[in-house]
Amino acid sequence: MKLIARLFSGLLVSLLFNSCNPTTLTYSLIYSADEPIGEISKTIEKVLEANYNVDIILSIGDGSVSNIDSVAEGKIDFTITENNTPFREGVNSVLVFYPQILHVFHSNTYEPQSFEELVYDKKIFMNTPSSGSFRFMVELFDFFNIDTSRVDITFNPFDNYDIIAGFNDIIPDNALSGLGNFKLYSFDDIDNYGKGSIVEGISLKFPKVKPYMIPSNTYGSLTKEPILTLAADAVLICRASMRDTPINDMIRTIFREKQEFEKISPLIYAGLDEGFDRSRLSFPLHNGARTYLDRDEPGFFERYAELVGVMFSIIVAIISALISLTRWQKQKKKDRVDVFYKVLMDIKNELPQIKTIRDGAFKIKEIQESQNKAFKMLINEELEADESFRIFMELSKETIDEVKMRVRSIKAKL
């Protein structure tokens, strides 16, 4: 039993030591090629892998809609998408990163006084059909009752289009240089904001987008006056079946490493905030994010639920193995006692064959040697002092008495 105890202690210590070094967990994150989402995704990979024993697998998707489909179907763990995306089962929000601004550029060859004048009989590029930008522009066509037969939609970014529209970050100066023949469209006069402006009407019908003002001089000559447009938050989402602890750890790390993300875009400075409006999210907030935001930290057993479960299963398996080993050892010891039983039974059967005093003395010596051997094995814990051993000792004494009686009978006949 001492050997079993030492073995169990060694296995348990080894198990606890190895549990402090769990295997690497792998998560997948799919993102669109547009910036700054691509850089945000790579920064998420960097900060998480630097803080936890995880491997973040990045991949570029075909657009917001298809990326969300991959998450909803459980093929991908995370993606970043526009908050105005329609609800899907199996998807949860994690946090808001920054507002994506709807930029609508039109050729400077005309001055539209309305959205209808902006798009009718014009060629427009608004990203791919699987993008959030394309879907929202289609919704705007419906809002303004646009006859789409009078709109020429192109999917070729190198085409000679009149309009380019889509959700973007603040556009860098090097990208603006290619827009010298364009103007930035304002949905309404800035003076109408707060007085029932068009953007307020749009956000009333599409509550996941909000009015947004691009201040004057943001884009130099393109913004001589403030531009009134719309914005949709870029939201990190995950599959709803994700455990709470990884999400809690992820959001904690992102906020702790906020400076890393703020370097990517000025919009992230104010956008990445713990106080974001949860009620405006297209997808329900994941419980792991909620526990962080509400500071409802997971307890030890909740955080290490999987590890504790594995440890418990292994301990149960070890205990079962030790029980089986104990039973096997008991059976082995019993088998050893059975060998001594056989010696005694053979001698009992051979009593009629004892013809001389010398034969009797030899049998008694054989029994005594068996007794001595049994005692040595008992001391070495190869036998147990149980009922079987006691019976053997009584039976050996009885057999010695029977041999002695046989010897006395032989002496009497001499």
Side-chain angles (χ1 to χ4, degrees):
M1 290 302 292
K2 293 180 180 178
L3 176 63
I4 294 176
R6 287 197 296 269
L7 177 62
F8 179 77
S9 299
L11 287 172
L12 186 57
V13 169
S14 175
L15 176 63
L16 291 173
F17 176 78
N18 290 332
S19 69
C20 297
N21 300 274
T23 56
T24 300
L25 299 175
T26 301
Y27 300 107
S28 54
L29 192 159
I30 193 169
Y31 63 95
S32 62
D34 299 331
E35 295 299 349
I37 290 179
E39 193 170 351
I40 290 173
S41 301
K42 294 171 185 175
T43 304
I44 290 175
E45 175 193 30
K46 182 178 75 172
V47 299
L48 288 181
E49 291 185 351
N51 286 275
Y52 300 98
N53 194 21
V54 298
D55 183 18
I56 308 297
I57 306 300
L58 299 180
S59 60
I60 299 177
D62 296 326
S64 298
V65 176
S66 61
N67 291 350
I68 292 173
D69 289 342
S70 296
V71 174
E73 294 164 6
K75 299 176 182 177
I76 297 291
D77 297 314
F78 299 97
T79 191
I80 299 174
T81 188
E82 301 90 351
N83 186 52
N84 61 315
T85 305
F87 172 77
R88 282 290 306 272
E89 289 284 353
V91 178
N92 279 175
S93 298
V94 178
L95 59 86
V96 173
F97 262 105
Y98 69 100
Q100 290 184 307
I101 306 168
L102 179 63
H103 291 77
V104 180
F105 291 96
H106 65 88
S107 170
N108 60 10
T109 59
Y110 69 108
E111 292 288 345
Q113 299 302 309
S114 65
F115 190 80
E116 292 83 356
E117 290 184 19
L118 173 72
V119 299
Y120 274 155
D121 306 316
K122 300 296 188 297
K123 182 178 286 188
I124 179 172
F125 173 73
M126 46 194 194
N127 217 319
T128 62
S130 62
S131 68
S133 296
F134 183 93
R135 190 191 59 78
F136 184 68
M137 288 302 297
V138 171
E139 290 178 337
L140 282 184
F141 291 162
D142 179 66
F143 179 83
F144 287 103
N145 296 313
I146 297 299
D147 179 2
T148 54
S149 66
R150 293 185 56 187
V151 180
D152 183 7
I153 299 174
T154 178
F155 303 121
N156 182 3
F158 304 104
D159 207 343
N160 292 320
Y161 40 75
D162 302 296
I163 301 169
I164 177 171
F167 287 105
N168 298 98
D169 181 29
I170 295 293
I171 301 174
D173 293 339
N174 59 346
L176 288 174
S177 61
L179 298 171
N181 297 324
F182 285 84
K183 289 185 175 182
L184 194 55
Y185 178 73
S186 181
F187 281 84
D188 209 336
D189 190 291
I190 193 65
D191 293 333
N192 292 330
Y193 184 62
K195 302 176 183 178
S197 63
I198 291 175
V199 290
E200 291 169 294
I202 296 171
S203 63
L204 182 64
K205 184 170 183 180
F206 305 106
K208 298 304 189 300
V209 297
K210 53 191 176 184
Y212 196 90
M213 181 186 67
I214 302 176
S216 58
N217 295 320
T218 300
Y219 297 133
S221 61
L222 289 173
T223 50
K224 292 180 180 179
E225 301 292 336
I227 301 296
L228 196 56
T229 183
L230 300 148
D233 288 327
V235 180
L236 176 65
I237 66 171
C238 69
R239 54 181 174 85
S241 58
M242 289 284 294
R243 290 178 52 246
D244 289 359
T245 300
I247 300 300
N248 190 286
D249 291 340
M250 170 182 269
I251 192 170
R252 177 189 294 105
T253 304
I254 289 174
F255 280 119
R256 187 175 62 228
E257 304 289 341
K258 185 176 179 181
Q259 292 82 359
E260 291 287 335
F261 295 93
E262 290 173 348
K263 293 186 295 186
I264 299 172
S265 167
L267 292 177
I268 296 178
Y269 181 82
L272 187 57
D273 182 75
E274 294 183 18
F276 61 85
D277 188 353
R278 307 181 198 180
S279 65
R280 294 179 61 87
L281 295 171
S282 293
F283 308 104
L285 189 67
H286 191 282
N287 189 61
R290 182 196 61 76
T291 57
Y292 172 81
L293 296 170
D294 294 343
R295 296 302 189 270
D296 182 14
E297 297 291 336
F300 175 84
F301 288 103
E302 183 180 355
R303 175 173 291 278
Y304 299 105
E306 289 185 359
L307 179 60
V308 170
V310 171
M311 289 179 61
F312 178 77
S313 299
I314 294 176
I315 290 174
V316 169
I318 291 174
I319 292 174
S320 299
L322 292 177
I323 290 174
S324 298
L325 178 61
T326 302
R327 289 175 178 171
W328 174 77
Q329 288 186 324
K330 285 185 177 181
Q331 183 62 43
K332 190 174 181 180
K333 291 176 181 179
K334 182 180 181 302
D335 292 343
R336 289 169 182 160
V337 173
D338 289 345
V339 171
F340 295 120
Y341 281 156
K342 186 176 185 306
V343 171
L344 297 178
M345 296 309 298
D346 288 345
I347 292 175
K348 280 179 172 288
N349 292 332
E350 294 172 358
L351 283 175
Q353 300 175 17
I354 298 176
K355 303 297 184 181
T356 65
I357 295 173
R358 186 166 178 261
D359 290 341
F362 179 79
K363 295 298 182 183
I364 291 173
K365 182 179 179 182
E366 186 177 355
I367 296 171
Q368 289 174 338
E369 287 178 347
S370 293
Q371 288 177 324
N372 292 337
K373 185 176 180 180
F375 273 114
K376 287 181 180 179
M377 294 179 69
L378 182 66
I379 293 171
N380 294 332
E381 296 186 354
E382 296 177 48
L383 290 178
E384 288 187 359
D386 55 8
E387 186 68 14
S388 296
F389 185 83
R390 186 186 63 77
I391 293 173
F392 163 70
M393 296 305 298
E394 290 180 357
L395 185 60
S396 61
K397 181 178 179 298
E398 178 186 306
T399 305
I400 288 175
D401 290 341
E402 289 178 359
V403 173
K404 286 181 178 180
M405 287 179 61
R406 178 66 178 172
V407 170
R408 285 195 294 270
S409 175
I410 293 172
K411 284 182 178 180
K413 291 178 181 180
L414 293 178

